[in-house]
Amino acid sequence: MRAENDMRDLHAPGGHVPVMLERVLELLAPALAGPTPVVVDANLGLGGHAEALLAAHPSLHLIGIDRDPTAIERSTARLAPYAERTTLVRAVSDELTEVLAEAGRPRVDAVLFDLGVSSPQLDEAERGFAYSYDAPLDMRMDRDQELTAEVVVNTYSAAELIRILRDYGEERFAPRVARLIIKERGNEAITSTKRLAEIVRTAIPAATRRTGGNPAKRTFQALRIEVNAELTALERALPAALDALTLGGRVVVLAYHSLEDRLTKQVLAARTRETGPPGLPVPLPAHQPRFALLTRGAELPSEEEVARNPRAASARCRAAERIREAVDKE
Ligand SMILES: C[S@@+](CC[C@H](N)C(=O)[O-])C[C@H]1O[C@@H](n2cnc3c(N)ncnc32)[C@H](O)[C@@H]1O
């Protein structure tokens, strides 16, 4: 395993540091100990985790997926020294089963999800993810898709906006924010991050504005999740990843907000519990869980890591291992 200082030097472009890297490597290592292991990095991003995995396991083949063509371009350059051991695919992670079939590797030894947005997506102002810069309201991870944050803000009904703000942003003042958006867009279309951030600020009661961080944070998170259908993608991709795991195969998920983490917890809980009727003296093989949890609750990054990389602060890590084949494979 690399020393802590070496990890900071993983060619970190733009100072990018992969989140909970040491723990991710440690959790995945037992699944990658065979002679020809295969790992899927379902959120390739800048290829930070991918590079460390390829460096740590000399016979590892890595299938990297990202929906953002810029991420594929950058990680192709970064992972060039490992080109023979990598298959990088521009796809949405819920296409995992098709990507694996196409790569001729329907079963894999490990899958890593490092969810959410990447540092460049947040830092490049024109992508419109950040309320701290003035930019067009965009927020698409894949800029070929049609739905943008501008379309959501200017065309969704009040009821739809309230649902998104409440469910995806956990915004207690969702109806107030939605009402003001609808009023303001009646005067003039809302096309910039700055104007939207100002509208949200005005909609939030002054007493609440003074507490917590930027009041626009929750609305921007909600719009981002809606524009990129983030939870829907995870809802499909995580079960597909579990299905693809070989015996002893492992999945690690790094989530960055409570909705992602809750969904991860629910999917893993459903696969790690017995499914038979209660009270059977000996559980039937068909009812025994196929997976076991490797983490107790969600693991958090260390204080030291958060001090070094504030973007790691909200990370929640959960992992599971396949302990039995599916019934039809027995
Ligand atoms: C936090 S970054 C990953 C960083 C990466 N682990 C590294 O070390 O550089 C998340 C990446 O996942 C991508 N992404 C998010 N949701 C996706 C999805 N449903 N399918 C494919 N890629 C997705 C984003 O475009 C972004 O590049």
Side-chain angles (χ1 to χ4, degrees), residues 33-53:
T36 53
V38 181
V39 66
V40 177
D41 183 340
N43 302 84
L44 191 60
L46 281 175
H49 289 103
E51 184 180 47
L53 282 161

Side-chain angles (χ1 to χ4, degrees), residues 16 18 42-49 66-68 71 91-93 114-118 121 141 233:
H16 166 76
N43 302 84
L44 191 60
L46 281 175
H49 289 103
D66 204 295
R67 70 197 304 179
D68 182 348
V92 181
S93 56
D114 180 17
L115 302 168
V117 274
S118 65
Q121 286 167 344
M141 290 184 191

Side-chain angles (χ1 to χ4, degrees), residues 135-157:
L137 266 179
D138 189 323
M139 301 196 197
R140 288 170 299 173
M141 290 184 191
D142 171 359
R143 280 185 277 192
D144 287 343
Q145 95 176 21
E146 281 182 15
L147 186 66
T148 63
E150 183 178 326
V151 173
V152 175
V153 166
N154 290 288
T155 66
Y156 277 27
S157 68

